[in-house]
Amino acid sequence: MDDIVAESGKLLLLGNEAIARGCMEAGVSIAATYPGTPSSEVGGVLERVAQKVGMYFEYSTNEKVAMEVAGAAAATGLRAFVFMKHVGLNVASDAFVTLGYTGVRGGMVVMTADDPTAHSSQNEQDNRFYSKLALVPMLEPSTPKEAKDMLKMGFKISEELGSPVLYRTTTRVNHARAIIELEKIPEIEQRGRFQKDPQRFVCIPAHARLDRIAQLERWERAMEMAENSPLNFVEGEGEIGVITCGVSYTYVKEWLKGVQILKLGFTNPSPEKKIANFMKDKRFVIVIEELEPFLEDEVLRIAKGHNIGVPVYGKRTGHLPRAFEFNPDIIASLSELVSVEERKLPLDVEKIALPRRPPMLCAGCPHRGTFYAAKRAVGKKEVVYSIDIGCYTLGVQPPLTMGDFLLCMGSSIGAAGGFSKATDQKVMAFIGDSTFFHAGVPGLINAVFNDHRFVLVILDNRTTAMTGHQPHPGTGRKHGEWTSEAIKIEPLVKGLGVGYVKTVDPYDLKGTQAAMKEALEYDGVAVIIAEKPCPLALKKERRLTKGQYKVDQEKCNKCYTCVEKLSCPALFRVGDDVVIEETMCIGCGVCAQVCPKKAIEEVDQ
Amino acid sequence: MKYNIQMVGVGGQGVLLASMVIGETAMRKGMDVTMSEVHGMAQRGGSVTSTIRMGDNVISPLIPKGGADLLLAFEPIEAYRSLEYANKDTYIVANTHPIIPITVSMGADEYPDLEYIIEKMRSASSKVIPVNATEIAIEFGGAIATNSVLIGAVAAVKGFPLYVEELKESLLYRVPKKFRDMNERAFQGGYQAAMEIMDQF
Ligand code: SF4
Ligand code: SF4
């Protein structure tokens, strides 16, 4: 039995698991996403349990589609949840902003999982500004427990207002663990009904103007709600005030002493009167929040508007940093302003040179062969490598150093087109299968349409590997009662009118290299599909047939071509010898093809 | 009472599983628990960290520098890298089996001598407990049980707030039935190895 659907009890849950459980307890009927860390595990749980609890859950092709699916469901009166990583909201923002106009009938909560410090992202944008941009009320939980409770509140607020609610988490909430009390899972509503109201839901200009007025009225009501919300509360005593939200609250609560805290959970619209009242009799106020001075600027504005002369410290005064996530040590840096809990001194450790340990492509990862073959095919020519988002982004590290330009999901193809028009350089673009369906297809259509010239390599490992092996349109989906067929990439690409298309096996270096050479000669858009399942996914599904290679030390002349050019983590030097770590090697055989002395051989098992 | 554990290791070593075992034991004992783990890119063989906090009123998912009561390292250089979380009273349990990073096998960086790392650690702290967990695990059935050896070693640490039997029970609950025996022996092996070192303190 799956513990997470239990009727009651306590579990030690990841924030994301608590959020998934919150969806069940809130009676969410429809949930949609495109996987993105730090939000991915929510989908992992829902994929597993949705059918059991009577929820519909889908992996959409991208976040915009997910937003549209959820938005439509909420318009029928059902509760809908859509979730994504912070940059996903950029993709979905088109639908999101206008949903702020139409509003919703059933509760709709939009989760943006922000990633301060960019642990696994291309930037660390602060998505709280989307709530201002779209005039959509926002909640910010501080802990996994709050994450579940606040999600349920979010649906209530959404329904009361008739507006979507933005629910903003950060990595340290999504990936923190805490003890979670399970509460009742209600019967989940299966079918909504869409009552037509074109004036509201068809946003032609004349209607949008009416929606705008309705939206501003909702905003007024939201302001009242924020004032009275139990999510915004005052704690402790003291003449120094701290205003805080999100995970920063946990650091303040444990390590700052003698302050009165105004903890905000309903952060936009900000509770103006509450903030003004809190500030009035303080000696000074410190605003403690990660990333942008979002609340701090609100506090400054409110102080000014209420003629409150209390000094406000925070990012604007240089007391707190604007980059990266906070931690207890950053709180300690406030000790000139306020007293901080006494701590033991860290050990006095002599600095010695330690080797770096960057993440890398797994042992036997098919992308390694693809990149190696591409490098060989390119040879001494100068080629611009336009890369995309997924495991293969790790190919940017030496020795493969495959990657010159990367912006966002799908950008490899559009940018390759740009480079091909702007320069005389040869261009190669790399994109994964899931990313191709997410945002690559329009770029490829554009390339055909506008006569761009580049080689596109689709790294088809039959899954969405980076975020934990979710399905996508190219894999099809089996989900209880319904299944969908996989959409094949080769005929799709041919159907778009691409003149050169070839599918290769990246474990076969010669064949892959030959196809790449041909593609580089081709005048136009050439597409190579390097198809081989991700071994990690196979392992999870217990479908991996593992082989084993070893180095014959007699034949090996210690040229180190294999370790230096291929960098499979199962392959390394011990003294002068090259050895293969048997627990890691999966037997892909790529290293054997690279070895000039044929010293790497398959072991019979 | 609050007890803070900083765990570090390399992707694929089972750091997260071990932290779940410890966290769940504390939960069953009725303690409050908060944890935080690093996911994402780090899963592909990079450094992995996990923070476990247990006791009364633990709220924050992270601890300050010098804030660990116990540092549990699955790999020696990762132990060294994380010493800033230890103070003079922190027990440091460190697996001595190196996992060579790609930067070293490619020849860009150098892996320091093992003896040297341990000696340097010992000159900074008198509470270092080096355990060759991987070797012990292999002795009891397979490198895969390294995890259990280290959890066993932790159970031996002075002042550790969870009992040996409680920890073992949670551990065995999490491993597949057919591997229970092997893991139980590995756990015991780790416990003994750590005890012997601790006796010398
Ligand atoms: S998870 Fe799969 S695709 Fe990603 S690096 Fe590992 S083997 Fe390659
Ligand atoms: S066969 Fe070679 S390249 Fe493939 S996983 Fe084993 S060591 Fe790595």
Side-chain angles (χ1 to χ4, degrees):
Chain A
M1 209 219 37
D2 210 323
D3 289 346
I4 204 154
V5 294
E7 288 199 8
S8 61
K10 276 185 192 172
L11 292 176
L12 186 55
L13 294 183
L14 204 58
N16 279 341
E17 295 165 341
I19 289 165
R21 172 74 193 196
C23 285
M24 299 176 227
E25 291 179 8
V28 166
S29 303
I30 285 205
T33 191
Y34 179 84
T37 309
S39 76
S40 318
E41 295 85 0
V42 179
V45 175
L46 294 183
E47 172 84 352
R48 219 165 63 220
V49 307
Q51 292 227 323
K52 268 184 232 166
V53 299
M55 185 189 298
Y56 171 82
F57 168 64
E58 74 166 45
Y59 285 113
S60 308
T61 37
N62 65 33
E63 297 83 359
K64 178 173 176 297
V65 174
M67 185 74 68
E68 291 156 355
V69 167
T76 72
L78 295 178
R79 282 192 168 184
F81 183 56
V82 56
F83 56 103
M84 57 199 68
K85 70 180 297 172
H86 60 335
V87 290
L89 193 51
N90 299 339
V91 178
S93 59
D94 208 3
F96 176 67
V97 174
T98 303
L99 273 166
Y101 269 58
T102 62
V104 290
R105 283 177 174 141
M108 175 171 182
V109 174
V110 178
M111 174 168 108
T112 166
D114 289 11
D115 191 14
T117 298
H119 290 287
S120 52
S121 309
Q122 62 266 49
N123 71 29
E124 55 166 6
Q125 69 186 42
D126 190 332
N127 273 8
R128 295 181 295 175
F129 291 102
Y130 271 113
S131 77
K132 279 202 173 174
L133 176 73
L135 291 185
V136 164
M138 174 171 65
L139 309 183
E140 287 183 75
S142 305
T143 62
K145 180 183 177 315
E146 261 191 19
K148 179 166 83 88
D149 298 344
M150 240 184 232
L151 182 63
K152 297 202 282 188
M153 288 284 260
F155 281 102
K156 286 209 189 100
I157 293 169
S158 167
E159 272 161 12
E160 229 165 281
L161 282 173
S163 163
V165 163
L166 187 65
Y167 171 79
R168 189 255 192 173
T169 60
T170 56
T171 308
R172 282 300 157 196
V173 174
N174 298 96
H175 286 170
R177 255 179 215 281
I179 300 172
I180 303 292
E181 188 96 39
L182 306 181
E183 289 155 292
K184 199 173 168 309
I185 300 181
E187 190 73 35
I188 284 175
E189 204 87 48
Q190 298 288 331
R191 296 243 97 31
R193 214 186 107 72
F194 181 60
Q195 233 154 25
K196 295 182 189 193
D197 183 356
Q199 228 180 51
R200 175 174 174 188
F201 288 107
V202 181
C203 288
I204 55 170
H207 298 168
R209 285 177 212 130
L210 297 174
D211 280 346
R212 167 79 170 147
I213 302 298
Q215 178 187 42
L216 289 171
E217 283 165 11
R218 282 199 295 271
W219 197 248
E220 289 292 319
R221 274 189 288 133
M223 267 152 70
E224 270 316 298
M225 285 173 86
E227 289 298 350
N228 302 313
S229 172
L231 301 178
N232 299 329
F233 56 85
V234 176
E235 261 183 353
E237 294 301 327
E239 41 171 17
I240 300 169
V242 168
I243 302 178
T244 185
C245 65
V247 73
S248 307
Y249 164 74
T250 69
Y251 308 136
V252 169
K253 178 95 173 141
E254 271 202 66
W255 281 289
L256 270 194
K257 290 200 304 189
V259 294
Q260 191 173 48
I261 304 170
L262 172 58
K263 141 83 161 135
L264 300 178
F266 194 148
T267 44
N268 197 36
S270 43
E272 191 158 335
K273 286 187 213 121
K274 206 170 227 163
I275 290 173
N277 267 335
F278 178 79
M279 293 182 79
K280 252 188 352 233
D281 49 356
K282 294 291 180 295
R283 195 143 62 83
F284 59 83
V285 164
I286 316 173
V287 184
I288 304 181
E289 62 188 321
E290 290 177 331
L291 297 181
E292 293 304 294
F294 179 89
L295 276 180
E296 189 173 327
D297 287 355
E298 278 293 280
V299 167
L300 289 169
R301 173 183 69 78
I302 290 163
K304 178 95 179 130
H306 288 75
N307 279 320
I308 299 169
V310 172
V312 175
Y313 300 122
K315 294 171 197 279
R316 294 284 179 208
T317 53
H319 288 88
L320 288 165
R322 195 160 167 174
F324 315 140
E325 68 174 352
F326 283 3
N327 54 46
D329 294 298
I330 285 173
I331 300 301
S333 71
L334 292 170
S335 59
E336 60 172 277
L337 286 175
V338 59
S339 53
V340 178
E341 188 88 18
E342 294 266 340
R343 267 121 23 104
K344 292 185 176 163
L345 285 179
L347 282 182
D348 194 8
V349 185
E350 187 185 330
K351 275 227 158 29
I352 60 174
L354 294 173
R356 293 157 294 166
R357 195 186 293 278
M360 64 207 155
L361 298 172
C362 302
C365 175
H367 303 332
R368 187 175 281 108
T370 309
F371 287 147
Y372 185 85
K375 280 253 140 125
R376 294 291 296 244
V378 165
K380 297 225 148 36
K381 281 191 280 292
E382 197 213 6
V383 166
V384 179
Y385 299 111
S386 185
I387 190 102
D388 224 296
I389 300 214
C391 286
Y392 47 92
T393 318
L394 297 171
V396 76
Q397 279 156 358
L400 299 163
T401 52
M402 200 47 115
D404 296 317
F405 193 78
L406 165 65
L407 290 178
C408 59
M409 293 283 288
S411 72
S412 61
I413 306 184
F419 285 123
S420 84
K421 285 289 176 186
T423 71
D424 294 325
Q425 288 155 298
K426 275 266 173 208
V427 186
M428 268 183 121
F430 292 87
I431 194 168
D433 43 345
S434 188
T435 314
F436 178 68
F437 284 104
H438 174 283
V441 178
L444 187 55
I445 293 174
N446 185 57
V448 173
F449 178 56
N450 286 309
D451 191 32
H452 295 165
R453 274 136 219 275
F454 57 86
V455 178
L456 168 65
V457 182
I458 302 176
L459 302 142
D460 184 3
N461 62 0
R462 317 299 307 134
T463 186
T464 317
M466 186 86 231
T467 45
H469 305 102
Q470 294 84 354
H472 63 70
T475 63
R477 205 174 163 214
K478 282 194 192 45
H479 200 67
E481 292 142 29
W482 55 273
T483 56
S484 59
E485 285 303 311
I487 297 171
K488 294 207 172 64
I489 297 178
E490 189 171 309
L492 169 66
V493 171
K494 282 189 175 143
L496 298 181
V498 174
Y500 180 98
V501 184
K502 196 157 204 172
T503 299
V504 297
D505 173 0
Y507 283 170
D508 164 19
L509 290 186
K510 261 210 193 100
T512 306
Q513 192 180 322
M516 300 236 181
K517 266 220 157 93
E518 252 173 46
L520 281 163
E521 297 300 315
Y522 186 79
D523 194 21
V525 191
V527 173
I528 289 180
I529 303 159
E531 190 192 308
K532 193 99 226 169
C534 162
L536 224 62
L538 292 179
K539 211 183 264 175
K540 262 194 206 165
E541 296 161 18
R542 300 179 189 283
R543 290 200 292 133
L544 181 73
T545 35
K546 226 177 118 175
Q548 179 73 61
Y549 277 72
K550 77 166 200 346
V551 182
D552 183 336
Q553 302 300 345
E554 302 276 284
K555 289 194 198 159
C556 172
N557 72 344
K558 323 292 171 201
C559 70
Y560 306 123
T561 311
C562 55
V563 278
E564 280 163 17
K565 298 261 159 71
L566 200 60
S567 72
C568 173
L571 195 71
F572 48 85
R573 284 175 65 163
V574 176
D576 283 344
D577 290 353
V578 177
V579 296
I580 289 177
E581 162 76 42
E582 66 177 278
T583 55
M584 287 169 92
C585 173
I586 62 142
C588 70
V590 168
C591 55
Q593 298 169 52
V594 167
C595 174
K597 287 281 163 216
K598 300 269 167 275
I600 307 181
E601 297 160 348
E602 185 153 26
V603 182
D604 280 332
Q605 286 172 316
Chain B
M1 193 273 301
K2 289 185 191 183
Y3 195 84
N4 300 329
I5 309 173
Q6 185 66 27
M7 289 183 45
V8 297
V10 177
Q13 282 194 301
V15 174
L16 301 184
L17 181 83
S19 57
M20 271 309 276
V21 168
I22 296 173
E24 282 180 339
T25 315
M27 174 175 84
R28 292 212 186 93
K29 213 178 156 98
M31 294 175 156
D32 231 343
V33 182
T34 70
M35 294 165 61
S36 167
E37 39 203 68
V38 175
H39 277 226
M41 289 282 201
Q43 281 171 323
R44 309 285 180 274
S47 307
V48 172
T49 63
S50 169
T51 308
I52 312 174
R53 311 189 60 225
M54 52 180 102
D56 307 317
N57 290 318
V58 288
I59 314 164
S60 139
L62 294 179
I63 56 169
K65 304 261 158 70
D69 295 294
L70 169 68
L71 177 64
L72 172 58
F74 282 55
E75 206 277 346
I77 55 166
E78 295 312 315
Y80 206 92
R81 224 192 284 283
S82 312
L83 286 177
E84 58 185 21
Y85 286 103
N87 59 60
K88 67 175 184 14
D89 298 320
T90 306
Y91 282 94
I92 302 166
V93 175
N95 184 10
T96 53
H97 182 80
I99 293 187
I100 309 293
I102 200 77
T103 47
V104 172
S105 33
M106 279 171 42
D109 289 357
E110 223 175 291
Y111 198 102
D113 183 62
L114 203 60
E115 299 292 313
Y116 175 75
I117 306 176
I118 294 171
E119 180 203 304
K120 282 277 169 259
M121 269 201 258
R122 285 213 150 122
S123 65
S125 160
S126 60
K127 297 202 156 78
V128 184
I129 307 168
V131 179
N132 195 335
T134 312
E135 205 167 85
I136 297 173
I138 291 172
E139 191 182 316
F140 287 111
I144 192 116
T146 303
N147 225 327
S148 303
V149 177
L150 288 171
I151 298 173
V154 161
V157 169
K158 226 169 109 208
F160 189 69
L162 307 172
Y163 296 130
V164 186
E165 288 307 315
E166 296 169 335
L167 260 180
K168 202 197 297 180
E169 196 180 309
S170 307
L171 168 71
L172 297 181
Y173 176 78
R174 282 226 157 229
V175 296
K177 248 208 185 88
K178 60 174 175 183
F179 296 123
R180 286 209 181 134
D181 268 359
M182 166 177 130
N183 280 288
E184 186 167 358
R185 276 179 284 138
F187 177 94
Q188 214 56 46
Y191 180 79
Q192 252 142 27
M195 266 304 184
E196 275 159 31
I197 299 167
M198 211 110 44
D199 283 345
Q200 296 158 20
F201 285 172

